[in-house]
């Protein structure tokens, strides 16, 4: 028998099956919906599996999937303690530790960069803006980029939980904008900012560069 709770910010909470649910799916069916609407290939389906009463935090995610919405593509998956995978290929971050060599991605929609963020962007080797948090964090997990951040405080759990589990399983680091462990939001409507990086050292340098004005 299948009995679980499915949660997304758009559709709310739904129970599937019979009996007492043991697990909860946190689902974003179209992360990067603005990209999808414009025909940009920068959107994803994101799904995280947690115990039904667990906090909305990557540490509690038991399984995760992030998949492109393009046809005939293989999704990225992760199982807690068993690694993150793209088909038969195990994901690993770049392990980069220095911002001067880093390719980073930053969310800028509805945001005017602060001096700290401008300083960080100028220090990095390259900067990208994807408009899809799950995809951007997954790129860090796979080593294509070295860090991702959203300093706007606009992310909801459905858009980053699954990808954050991928990143952790791939050897990366995720934290709040102050460098402290990422807090668990109370609900799917709560919004947060975060830094996801290929290594703890790179995360710490990013936090330092953002400075007090960004925290």
């Amino acid at each position: 028998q299948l009995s679980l709770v499915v949660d997304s910010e758009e559709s709310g909470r739904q129970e599937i099956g019979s009996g007492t649910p043991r697990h909860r799916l946190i689902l974003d069916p179209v992360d990067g919906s603005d990209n999808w609407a414009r025909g940009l290939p920068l959107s994803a389906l994101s799904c995280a599996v947690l115990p039904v009463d667990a906090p909305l935090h990557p540490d509690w995610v038991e399984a995760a999937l992030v998949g492109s919405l393009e046809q005939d593509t293989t999704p990225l998956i992760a199982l807690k303690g068993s690694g993150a995978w793209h088909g038969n290929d195990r994901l690993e971050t770049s392990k980069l530790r220095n911002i001067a060599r880093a390719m980073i991605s930053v969310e800028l929609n509805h945001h005017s960069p602060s001096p700290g963020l401008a300083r960080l962007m100028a220090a990095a080797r390259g900067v990208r803006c994807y408009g899809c948090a799950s995809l951007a964090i997954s790129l860090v997990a796979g080593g294509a980029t070295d860090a991702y951040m959203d300093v706007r405080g606009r992310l909801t759990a459905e858009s980053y939980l699954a990808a954050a589990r991928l990143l952790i399983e791939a050897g990366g680091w995720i934290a709040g904008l102050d460098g402290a462990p990422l807090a668990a939001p109370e609900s799917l409507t709560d919004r947060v900012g975060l830094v996801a990086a290929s290594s703890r050292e790179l995360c710490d340098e990013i936090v330092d560069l953002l400075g007090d004005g960004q925290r």
Side-chain angles (χ1 to χ4, degrees), residues 70-150:
E70 300 296 309
Q71 293 184 349
D72 302 322
T73 58
T74 302
L76 309 178
I77 61 171
L79 296 176
K80 188 174 183 179
S82 298
W85 301 83
H86 182 214
N88 294 324
D89 298 324
R90 187 160 187 165
L91 301 183
E92 292 187 21
T93 71
S94 67
K95 307 296 191 298
L96 196 72
R97 295 179 172 86
N98 188 299
I99 191 65
R101 297 174 54 207
M103 179 74 74
I104 66 174
S105 60
V106 183
E107 295 297 347
L108 296 173
N109 200 31
H110 305 297
H111 182 75
S112 177
S114 68
L117 181 56
R119 185 165 57 246
L120 172 66
M121 293 166 64
R125 176 184 176 185
V127 181
R128 301 293 184 267
C129 181
Y130 295 112
C132 177
S134 60
L135 174 63
I137 297 171
S138 296
L139 289 171
V140 181
T145 59
D146 305 300
Y148 162 84
M149 67 224 60
D150 188 320

Side-chain angles (χ1 to χ4, degrees), residues 18-48:
S18 60
T20 302
R22 294 184 179 182
H23 291 89
R24 180 183 185 189
L25 303 186
I26 306 300
L27 179 68
D28 192 337
V30 187
D31 184 24
S33 55
D34 287 344
N35 290 342
W36 177 257
R38 296 295 297 265
L40 296 172
L42 297 169
S43 53
L45 180 148
S46 174
C47 182

Side-chain angles (χ1 to χ4, degrees), residues 144-199:
T145 59
D146 305 300
Y148 162 84
M149 67 224 60
D150 188 320
V151 302
R152 307 167 303 160
R154 294 175 59 90
L155 287 180
T156 55
E158 62 179 2
S159 63
Y160 67 80
L161 274 181
R165 186 73 246 168
L166 291 171
L167 177 69
I168 293 167
E169 293 294 330
W173 193 263
I174 191 162
L177 296 177
D178 58 357
L182 188 65
E186 294 294 326
S187 75
L188 290 178
T189 59
D190 290 347
R191 298 177 181 273
V192 303
L194 58 81
V195 176
S198 60
S199 67

